[in-house]
Amino acid sequence: MTNTAQVSEAGTGNSVDAGNSAGTGDPAEGAAIRSPRVNFAKAAPKAFKALIGFDAAAREGLDPTLVELVQIRSSQLNKCAYCLHMHTSDARKAGESAERLHMVAVWEEAAHFFTAKERAALALTEAVTLVAQGGVPDEVYEHAARHFEEAELARLLALIFTINTWNRIAISTGKVPGTDER
């Protein structure tokens, strides 16, 4: 039996129709259905505005293509569909090729699709995003430091911190992919 539910996206009033098979008790079966959760921007406006400011400061002076690649890779690792949809859409709008976007998840095996600087940033993104799995190895950090000046490296790190925070906000508050509110 299939039910269709009207779902309010993260308490914003945006609705998404989602089908759901009823009655089996399988947790995955309701994965597309999201109950309303806190609207972080409205409930914690000072924290939200501070994060927007931090994000803007992090991006300052970084190549916009690199910014999107970092945000895409972190969102993939964190399994944040909302941010992944947003940043792949933004990258396509900015002229990024579908071919490169398809290769971000396997960038090490598809190294020729990315510059040395992009590969260094992607490696650092993975290490920082997965920091609980072994920290940030010296060789990864040193490789990034060879491709980025100190201030640029600091902003890259800040960018990685912010996308990880945005991923956690989107996942925790039940943001629905494809409902970008910017």
Side-chain angles (χ1 to χ4, degrees):
M1 171 181 245
T2 301
N3 297 335
T4 300
Q6 198 64 309
V7 180
S8 175
E9 192 279 316
T12 65
N14 295 339
S15 295
V16 176
D17 281 333
N20 182 27
S21 300
T24 67
D26 181 359
E29 106 187 335
I33 304 260
R34 302 228 194 250
S35 58
R37 291 188 177 180
V38 67
N39 180 321
F40 184 77
K42 289 182 182 176
K46 282 183 162 182
F48 186 77
K49 287 177 185 173
L51 186 54
I52 287 174
F54 186 52
D55 187 278
R59 294 165 183 259
E60 195 172 297
L62 292 177
D63 175 9
T65 299
L66 182 78
V67 168
E68 293 304 333
L69 293 175
V70 164
Q71 293 178 125
I72 289 166
R73 187 62 187 134
S74 182
S75 298
Q76 289 170 334
L77 293 168
N78 286 321
K79 299 180 182 182
C80 182
Y82 180 84
C83 292
L84 184 58
H85 181 272
M86 178 190 305
H87 294 296
T88 55
S89 295
D90 288 351
R92 282 193 315 273
K93 288 176 191 170
E96 185 60 77
S97 74
E99 189 172 45
R100 275 178 32 111
L101 291 176
H102 293 304
M103 295 295 118
V104 174
V106 293
W107 67 270
E108 288 178 292
E109 292 81 14
H112 64 284
F113 282 93
F114 304 98
T115 67
K117 189 171 187 173
E118 290 169 341
R119 291 191 308 271
L122 290 167
L124 186 61
T125 299
E126 288 188 4
V128 173
T129 299
L130 303 173
V131 70
Q133 295 179 11
V136 178
D138 289 340
E139 59 273 9
V140 171
Y141 183 86
E142 290 164 4
H143 183 68
R146 285 193 298 273
H147 290 279
F148 294 89
E149 294 178 11
E150 187 174 28
E152 189 180 26
L153 180 59
R155 289 191 308 276
L156 174 60
L157 285 166
L159 176 69
I160 297 166
F161 304 156
T162 60
I163 188 56
N164 274 279
T165 301
W166 288 124
N167 289 164
R168 281 150 179 77
I169 290 169
I171 292 166
S172 299
T173 62
K175 304 294 274 182
V176 176
T179 61
D180 183 5
E181 300 161 358
R182 294 177 294 168

